[in-house]
C-alpha cells in the first residue's frame, strides 16, 4: 500500500522509531515503552511499507506494531503456553512427539509478532546455540533413532547465515534415521530479500528431504516480492506448506481467510494448519473462541477449494500436543452401520456403511 513518507531503510526496533515512521502516535510512546520492556519489537521495511497508518484496524499493523493492550495479562495466560520446557531434554531441543522434534538454533526473528506464543523467549540478545550446545543437540538427535523429522524453529532459523544453515543441514543429513528437515519461517513474506540463491542452496538437503513451513496470516503479506522469494524455494524443489494463526481483527472472517489461503495456493504453498490462538501473555486481544473458529471452518468447507483447506488445531496448554478442532459432519444412527451425514450447507443425509 502506498505511503506518503519516504521508504523505510531498516528494521524498526523501538517505539521511538515506529513514531518517527508515522506508525504510532507520539502520545502513545510512554505506554509502548512499557510494552517494549517486556516484549521485543521489530518491524521490517517490507512489513512497514504495507501498513496504512490512517487505518486503525490495519491487519498488518495489528500483527507487528505494539499496543497498550499487551499490558493486559490474564490469569490464564502463561510464559510457556504450549509447554516446551518439560519436553526439552537438551538445550535447543523440544521432543514432544516420538518421531519428530524441534531444533531451536536461534531465538531471534526478523519481526516480532504481537501474538507470539514464544514471546517470553525470543528477542534481541536472545542467544543462538553455541558450538558446544549445537553439538549436544545434534548428538541427542543422533542418539534417538526414532526421530525421523527435525523441525528447525526458534526464533526464525532463516535469520542465520547461509553458511550456518548449510552446516546444520549437512550435519542432519549425516544422521541416517533423519528423513525430513523442516524449516518454520516467516522470512519469505516479512524479509523476502533474505531468500537468496545462496540461502536456497544451503537449505537443500541431500539424502533427507527439505520442507519449508511458511507462517502467513493475511493475503496482503503475499506481495510480489514474497511470491518471488517463495518461487526461488519451490523452483529449487523445496516443497512448502503454510501455517496461519486465527487472529481477531486480522483474519477472523471467512472472506479474509479464503483470500489468504487462495493467495498461498497460487504462490504454490499448501495451507496446512490454522492455529487457534495460544494463551501467551498479553495476547487476549487476538484470541477468538473455539466456537467461532469451528464456524469459520464449516463456512470455508462448502465453497472453497480443498487445496485451500488447512486443519484447524489447538496446541493443548501444558505440552500435551496438537489436536484438530474440526467441525463434526457425522452422527451415529439408531442401528448398526447407520449414520447421518451433514453436508457443508447444513443438509442432513442418511448413510449406511
Amino acid at each position: 500500500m502506498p505511503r506518503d513518507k519516504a521508504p523505510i531503510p531498516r528494521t524498526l526496533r523501538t517505539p521511538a522509531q515506529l513514531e518517527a515512521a508515522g506508525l504510532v502516535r507520539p502520545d502513545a510512546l510512554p505506554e509502548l515503552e512499557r510494552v517494549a520492556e517486556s516484549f521485543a519489537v521489530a518491524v521490517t521495511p517490507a512489513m512497514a511499507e504495507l501498513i496504512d497508518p490512517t487505518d486503525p484496524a490495519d491487519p498488518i499493523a495489528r500483527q507487528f506494531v505494539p499496543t497498550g493492550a499487551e499490558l493486559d495479562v490474564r490469569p490464564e495466560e502463561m510464559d510457556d503456553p504450549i509447554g516446551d520446557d518439560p519436553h526439552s531434554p537438551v538445550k535447543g531441543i523440544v521432543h514432544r512427539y516420538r518421531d519428530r522434534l524441534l531444533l531451536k538454533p536461534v531465538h531471534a526473528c526478523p519481526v516480532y509478532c504481537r501474538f507470539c506464543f514464544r514471546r517470553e523467549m525470543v528477542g534481541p540478545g536472545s542467544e543462538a546455540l553455541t558450538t558446544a550446545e549445537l553439538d549436544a543437540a545434534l548428538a541427542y538427535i543422533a542418539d534417538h533413532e526414532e526421530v525421523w523429522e527435525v523441525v528447525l524453529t526458534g526464533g526464525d532459523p532463516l535469520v542465520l547465515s547461509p553458511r550456518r544453515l548449510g552446516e546444520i543441514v549437512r550435519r542432519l543429513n549425516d544422521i541416517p534415521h533423519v528423513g525430513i528437515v523442516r524449516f518454520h519461517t516467516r522470512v519469505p513474506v516479512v524479509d523476502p530479500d533474505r531468500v537468496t540463491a545462496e540461502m536456497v542452496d544451503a537449505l537443500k538437503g541431500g539424502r533427507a528431504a527439505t520442507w519449508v513451513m511458511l507462517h502467513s496470516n493475511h493475503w496482503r503479506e503475499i506481495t510480489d516480492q514474497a511470491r518471488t522469494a517463495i518461487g526461488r524455494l519451490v523452483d529449487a524443489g523445496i516443497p512448502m506448506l503454510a501455517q496461519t494463526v486465527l487472529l481477531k481483527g486480522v483474519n477472523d472472517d471467512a472472506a479474509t481467510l479464503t483470500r489468504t489461503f487462495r493467495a498461498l495456493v497460487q504462490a504454490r504453498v499448501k495451507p496446512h494448519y490454522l492455529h487457534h490462538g495460544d494463551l501467551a501473555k498479553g495476547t487476549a486481544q487476538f484470541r477468538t473462541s473455539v466456537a467461532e473458529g469451528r464456524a469459520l471452518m464449516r463456512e470455508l468447507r462448502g465453497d472453497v477449494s480443498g487445496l485451500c483447506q488447512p486443519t484447524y488445531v489447538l496446541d493443548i496448554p501444558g505440552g500435551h500436543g496438537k489436536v484438530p478442532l474440526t467441525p463434526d459432519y457425522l452422527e451415529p444412527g439408531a442401528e448398526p452401520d447407520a449414520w447421518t451425514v451433514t453436508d457443508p450447507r447444513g443438509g442432513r443425509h442418511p448413510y449406511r456403511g
Side-chain angles (χ1 to χ4, degrees), residues 1-8 12 17-24 45-54:
M1 181 171 296
R3 291 170 48 85
D4 294 333
K5 294 197 173 187
I8 295 170
L12 306 172
Q17 290 174 352
L18 294 171
E19 189 273 331
L23 299 183
V24 300
M47 291 297 97
E49 294 292 341
L50 291 181
I51 294 171
D52 179 0
T54 68

Side-chain angles (χ1 to χ4, degrees), residues 61-268:
R62 186 157 167 76
Q63 292 183 71
F64 303 118
V65 176
T67 68
E70 295 173 58
L71 298 172
D72 174 21
V73 177
R74 305 291 175 85
E76 67 272 17
E77 294 176 341
M78 296 172 268
D79 290 345
D80 181 20
I82 69 167
D84 279 351
D85 286 349
H87 299 278
S88 185
V90 174
K91 187 172 182 179
I93 294 287
V94 178
H95 195 176
R96 181 179 290 111
Y97 304 104
R98 184 177 187 278
D99 77 336
R100 58 205 183 276
L101 53 70
L102 306 182
L103 172 60
K104 300 191 290 184
V106 65
H107 283 91
C109 296
V111 293
Y112 292 106
C113 303
R114 311 322 305 166
F115 50 87
C116 178
F117 67 92
R118 291 198 178 108
R119 63 198 323 231
E120 297 284 328
M121 309 171 195
V122 299
S126 298
E127 73 279 11
L129 295 183
T130 66
T131 298
E133 289 165 346
L134 180 60
D135 288 346
L138 292 168
Y140 178 91
I141 296 169
D143 289 342
H144 288 74
E145 294 186 1
E146 72 275 19
V147 174
W148 174 74
E149 181 178 15
V150 176
V151 180
L152 281 95
T153 181
D156 192 318
L158 267 58
V159 302
L160 295 172
S161 69
R163 180 194 62 77
R164 188 85 185 276
L165 287 169
E167 176 193 353
I168 293 171
V169 170
R170 285 191 297 273
R171 293 180 69 179
L172 289 170
N173 269 266
D174 287 340
I175 301 174
H177 53 267
V178 172
I180 301 290
V181 179
R182 188 196 333 166
F183 289 86
H184 283 196
T185 184
R186 248 196 169 310
V187 162
V189 294
V190 303
D191 196 6
D193 290 344
R194 190 181 285 269
V195 184
T196 61
E198 186 181 11
M199 173 178 281
V200 173
D201 286 343
L203 295 180
K204 290 181 68 174
R207 181 194 52 77
T210 298
W211 287 66
V212 169
M213 176 80 81
L214 175 69
H215 176 180
S216 179
N217 300 319
H218 195 277
W219 57 267
R220 275 178 48 204
E221 298 171 13
I222 313 300
T223 61
D224 289 344
Q225 293 80 7
R227 281 187 285 271
T228 296
I230 291 166
R232 290 193 186 108
L233 293 161
V234 177
D235 289 342
I238 299 175
M240 291 186 66
L241 303 170
Q243 55 184 352
T244 297
V245 183
L246 182 59
L247 299 168
K248 185 179 293 185
V250 174
N251 58 17
D252 60 329
D253 64 273
T256 300
L257 288 176
T258 297
R259 191 166 181 180
T260 300
F261 297 149
R262 285 176 173 170
L264 287 164
V265 169
Q266 279 192 274
R268 296 179 289 171

